Amino acid sequence: LTAIRGGAHVALWPSRGVPSGGAVGPAPHLVGLRAAALGRLTDPQALVIAGVGALVERMPAEAAEPLMLCRGGQVDGELVELLTTMGYERVQQVEERGEVAVRGGIVDCYPTTADQPVRIDMFGDDVDDIRVFSPFTQVTIGKIAEIAIWPAAEPAGELAEGVAGQSQQAA
């Protein structure tokens, strides 16, 4: 479907993989995919793919917004602090989705919906450069102009019933 309609108009709504309200939350990449799918619902051209299991699960009461970073842009606040409030785990070296590391003015982040992590060069609040790098070798692969960073953890607030849960309550 992404080849036919374009990746910007197709999203996957995966199952959380764990029960709601349990001691363990869903994996960061699943949280990111779910947040991105909710974000795409405002697009009238969007097509969201979901299995029955995913539809009956609870979902965030509000759609999350991605943190948009672009080369030459500014960050409103401390970037690492923003990412940790979005559920990113601070580590020494970024290797998996949902992790962030900082060394001076360089912030490494592995966005939950990205195929590769990004290295963000900061100068104060300004984004100097954004580069994609290999999580294995830590070597730069290429430069990108912008990145959308979706949350790595579900909000702690209220969860709404899934689509099937809402229809069962109405019956």
Side-chain angles (χ1 to χ4, degrees), residues 101-159:
V102 63
R103 288 180 307 282
I106 298 173
V107 177
D108 289 350
C109 177
Y110 204 143
T112 56
T113 58
D115 292 330
Q116 301 288 334
V118 292
R119 184 161 286 145
I120 305 154
D121 288 330
M122 300 291 297
F123 185 74
D125 290 342
D126 298 328
V127 178
D128 266 355
D129 199 17
I130 306 172
R131 300 182 308 267
V132 176
F133 69 95
S134 166
F136 305 109
T137 63
Q138 300 289 308
V139 175
T140 297
I141 296 171
K143 292 185 175 194
I144 57 174
E146 64 181 12
I147 185 79
I149 302 176
W150 290 92
E154 290 182 336
E158 292 290 318
L159 293 177

Side-chain angles (χ1 to χ4, degrees), residues 76-123:
D76 194 22
E78 175 67 31
L79 179 58
V80 176
E81 188 175 310
L82 289 171
L83 292 170
T84 56
T85 60
M86 292 173 65
Y88 283 78
E89 179 184 0
R90 191 163 176 177
V91 295
Q92 290 294 320
Q93 180 174 309
V94 169
E95 296 174 342
E96 297 180 15
R97 287 182 180 94
E99 294 181 339
V100 63
V102 63
R103 288 180 307 282
I106 298 173
V107 177
D108 289 350
C109 177
Y110 204 143
T112 56
T113 58
D115 292 330
Q116 301 288 334
V118 292
R119 184 161 286 145
I120 305 154
D121 288 330
M122 300 291 297
F123 185 74

